[in-house]
Amino acid sequence: MSGARRIVSLVKHNERFIFRFAPGQEPAVLESLVQIAADPRTAFDWLDAALVSYELGRTAADERKAHGARSRRSSETYRS
């Protein structure tokens, strides 16, 4: 799964903000959100940063749940 990529996007009016990243790079994406939200030249504001940040967390949690389910299935198969 080394080539796995995540995508979180936000559509605001006629603009699209798309964040592509590898698993584990969420802290770097958060830093980018802060820089973009702080830039008065962009339409991306702090509420947008909060929404995208929430989606990042949700995506990571979903991935952890899926990984945990796969791990449990593997250990159950091994015990059988």
Side-chain angles (χ1 to χ4, degrees):
M1 194 188 274
S2 62
R5 302 294 280 174
R6 306 282 186 271
I7 298 175
V8 176
S9 63
L10 175 80
V11 177
K12 183 176 183 177
H13 305 294
N14 63 342
E15 292 187 82
R16 238 173 249 241
F17 299 92
I18 301 170
F19 301 90
R20 292 182 182 96
F21 56 97
Q25 290 185 326
E26 292 83 358
V29 175
L30 289 172
E31 287 180 34
S32 296
L33 296 176
V34 169
Q35 291 175 353
I36 296 167
D39 187 342
R41 297 171 296 173
T42 68
F44 191 87
D45 59 25
W46 292 105
L47 177 59
D48 301 329
L51 291 169
V52 173
S53 174
Y54 174 79
E55 284 300 317
L56 279 174
R58 212 176 85 168
T59 301
D62 290 348
E63 177 62 25
R64 282 192 301 274
K65 277 189 216 174
H67 181 68
R70 284 192 300 269
S71 294
R72 281 193 299 279
R73 279 195 301 264
S74 295
S75 63
E76 289 168 1
T77 302
Y78 179 73
R79 282 187 259 154
S80 299

